[in-house]
Amino acid sequence: MFGSSIVTTTWFKVQFEMHMLSWYSRSPDPSGFWISVAACFTVGVVSLWAFLYFFSLWRRKISLSWMKMIARSKRRNSDRNHKIPTAEHVWNTESLFRAKGLKCCVCLESISPSQPLGQMVTSENMVHRCDVCGAAAHIICSSNSPKDCKCVSMLGSDYVVHQWTVLWTDIADQSEEDHYCCYCEEPCSESFLGGPPIYCCMWCQRLVHVDCQSAMATDMGDICDLGPFKRLILSPLFVRTLSKPGGILSSITHGANEFASTVRGHLRNRSKKQKRHNRLPSDPAVGDSNDDSSSDTTLNCNQRAKDLKATGGSAQRSAENEHDSSGSDYRELISEPRRLSNDETGGAKLKYALSELPADARPLLVFINKRSGAQRGDSLKHRLHFLLNPVQVFELSSSQGPETGLFLFRKVPHFRVLVCGGDGTVGWVLDAIDRQNYESPPPVAILPAGTGNDLSRVLSWEGGLGAVEKQGGLCTVLHDIEHAAVTILDRWKVTVEDKKSKNALLVKYMNNYLGIGCDAKVALDIHNLREENPEKFYSQFFNKVLYAREGAKSIIDRTFVDLPWQVRLEVDGTEIEIPEDSEGVLVANIPSYMGGVDLWHNEDENPENFDPQSIHDKVLEVVSVTGTWHLGTLQVGLSRARRIAQGQSIKIQMFAPFPVQVDGEPWVQNPCTLKISHHGQAFMLRRTIEEPLGHAAAIVTDVLEHAESSHVINASQKRALLQEMALRLS
């Protein structure tokens, strides 16, 4: 038996050696070798893809089961604990693609497009998005949503309680070091196998593990201190609701109205495009540009009424649009002013009122222009609603101006203003603040959401939202606002008079600069392009590319070679000669133009008997440019503008039609006289994170506000001290 086994083993060994010998004796075939390698690689890739696909399905299933279990547990706990306030979601219809990546807060299923979004808007392409907390829901599910929205009013309660929610989307702008459980201090990150989601308080932004939340409530209670931004947050303890929501039916009705408004807006834009093609581009009337304008829209101030008493009206325009102008059809220049109603709220009906706040409260009043620059207003609104109280965040539109928010805060002794938009939106808000006649007006900070953002650059708030995101997002912005220093900004009145200088045709208010000639022509071309194709202006970078393209078109066509002979310049009563090669004249109030260009250059070694430029010296600087090519070289730092004059009062006479722009708002102006005079000074906030003296200024500002609250000084004295401090520290 053993002999046969040995013989069999020996036979297999001999056969194997013969097979190997025949294998090695063959000539190598490279093509066969690489085909085998490719086949193995393909099989491996397909296998890996299949494994990852089924693993993601399994992980999603586990995560969804966790969410459903937590949602059921949360509903049971809310029913047992009546101390937790409840609030219904405020649903607004939104494009399905804007809510991409979110999950329905009712059925917990993913919200994904059912079909490509066509040219027309239909109900199948829309979802409901809560205007307060940012939660999303299918339209058929929103009527069954739980009452777990952010409660903006807790009037009558002794303290603010935590409102825990599952983060359906990352909107809290938290840094990596903040992603720790506030109870066990362990990392709050999603586990590899799709573990349970975490809770986040909608007020203080603290995170807690689901397993730790009940223990934390037992040991530490549910009292919320509003987190690191408690001074900026409008506490719900001091907010009173004036009208209760109408429930589910009201939400559905509001959503239907929003949908109908969206469809009407789409049809109106198409109609405007058709009309635009039939309109002559050289219409002599003044264009109502809505590109970050700071024109006078609602003249209820007594002083401005006197300025325009002879004309019986003011410039009619809708100042809210910086991207898509809804009313710039080159209408008549003078019309009846829009009257404020409903207790000077700009026609909007207030839903809330504020009771007396503590003396140390410094709530932040936020204005958002969602049409500015890259049109990221919706995202900013949802994120600011989550970080602050939604009551203190206002969206600017043709039906709701800054007056609504300022009226709500009329009895708040100390508050700050944040403007999310471009330079024209800032001017719009500053005009509204002027009309309130504050004894000590609130200082204004800027979140740059426009295209140029020149005023934001001067005040160190960066030049765009991209730079803000790189430095920590909105949390960093709110921290810098709380520790910002107060500075002063000169504001100027631009009066357009007829050729005889007897009748005022138009009054505008300038913060940045005024241009006549080639630079205003480029701004006008961009404005017209926005009118015809608003969808092209979807990012700050691409907007600048379009500016460069329109400027390049005007390099060869020297349209304004006769400007020195058609424009007469007078500074402080003295006529100033314009250089013969000039094709544009610029009057600057700030050291930033066209996205960061310094026209005056304070560091110039040859001052030419000129003083350094300042934003609060009540002096304007006048320079000239030789054409569009000169503007391009200015942008890249290869040349400088030519200094002409400095003065406190400027008069410009135009003997022919020229494009004119004020703070980026362009129009074609017939022969007239432009008079620029000092209008006043506004309090602005300057970011001081890199300035040693800035921190001292921020501390002094806080001390002065505390002294006013303690009745050591009055508002007028505080204003005088702030002005003196801003002048000396600058």
Side-chain angles (χ1 to χ4, degrees), residues 233-246:
I233 295 175
L234 179 61
S235 174
L237 299 177
F238 306 100
V239 178
R240 176 168 54 90
T241 304
L242 296 180
S243 59
K244 296 183 178 180

Side-chain angles (χ1 to χ4, degrees), residues 348-367:
K349 183 179 180 181
L350 291 176
K351 298 179 180 179
Y352 304 96
L354 304 182
S355 59
E356 186 176 355
L357 273 68
D360 60 342
R362 304 290 187 270
L364 184 66
L365 177 59
V366 182
F367 296 109

Side-chain angles (χ1 to χ4, degrees), residues 439-654:
E439 192 172 6
S440 180
V444 178
I446 306 173
L447 181 61
T451 301
N453 303 311
D454 290 295
L455 185 56
S456 174
R457 297 172 191 269
V458 172
L459 298 175
S460 303
W461 294 108
E462 303 300 336
L465 292 178
V468 172
E469 297 291 350
K470 291 179 181 178
Q471 296 188 359
L474 292 180
C475 284
T476 302
V477 172
L478 294 178
H479 175 271
D480 293 341
I481 289 175
E482 189 171 4
H483 299 87
V486 177
T487 188
I488 304 297
L489 173 69
D490 286 329
R491 305 194 69 226
W492 301 84
K493 183 171 72 172
V494 180
T495 305
V496 181
E497 299 179 347
D498 57 19
K499 290 187 293 185
K500 297 181 180 180
S501 299
K502 292 183 178 181
N503 298 321
L505 304 176
L506 177 67
V507 175
K508 292 181 178 291
Y509 295 90
M510 182 185 77
N511 303 311
N512 299 358
Y513 39 73
L514 176 145
I516 300 175
C518 58
D519 78 300
K521 176 64 165 56
V522 175
L524 183 62
D525 291 341
I526 288 293
H527 165 69
N528 294 337
L529 184 61
R530 279 175 170 164
E531 291 263 316
E532 298 175 358
N533 303 285
E535 68 279 357
K536 290 185 177 181
F537 295 81
Y538 58 85
S539 72
Q540 183 186 18
F541 173 76
F542 192 72
N543 292 353
K544 291 184 177 180
V545 172
L546 292 177
Y547 268 98
R549 189 191 71 175
E550 294 300 321
K553 292 180 180 179
S554 304
I555 291 178
I556 300 177
D557 183 17
R558 300 189 61 187
T559 310
F560 307 105
V561 292
D562 60 341
L563 183 142
W565 295 273
Q566 298 292 342
V567 174
R568 181 176 180 269
L569 174 65
E570 186 178 307
V571 179
D572 290 340
T574 303
E575 184 175 353
I576 305 297
E577 182 180 356
I578 300 176
E580 294 185 357
D581 59 346
S582 300
E583 292 189 26
V585 175
L586 294 168
V587 181
N589 181 48
I590 63 174
S592 180
Y593 166 75
M594 203 165 54
V597 177
D598 187 358
L599 295 174
W600 195 251
H601 285 280
N602 285 340
E603 68 278 3
D604 199 336
E605 297 179 357
N606 299 317
E608 301 175 358
N609 297 324
F610 290 119
D611 296 327
Q613 187 179 30
S614 174
I615 65 174
H616 43 62
D617 59 355
K618 301 180 181 179
V619 174
L620 289 171
E621 285 71 33
V622 185
V623 300
S624 68
V625 292
T626 59
T628 308
W629 175 258
H630 192 187
L631 291 175
T633 56
L634 285 173
Q635 183 71 40
V636 296
L638 296 179
S639 64
R640 295 185 179 184
R642 182 180 300 175
R643 296 179 176 183
I644 297 180
Q646 281 181 306
Q648 296 179 333
S649 176
I650 296 177
K651 179 180 178 181
I652 302 175
Q653 290 180 297
M654 299 192 308

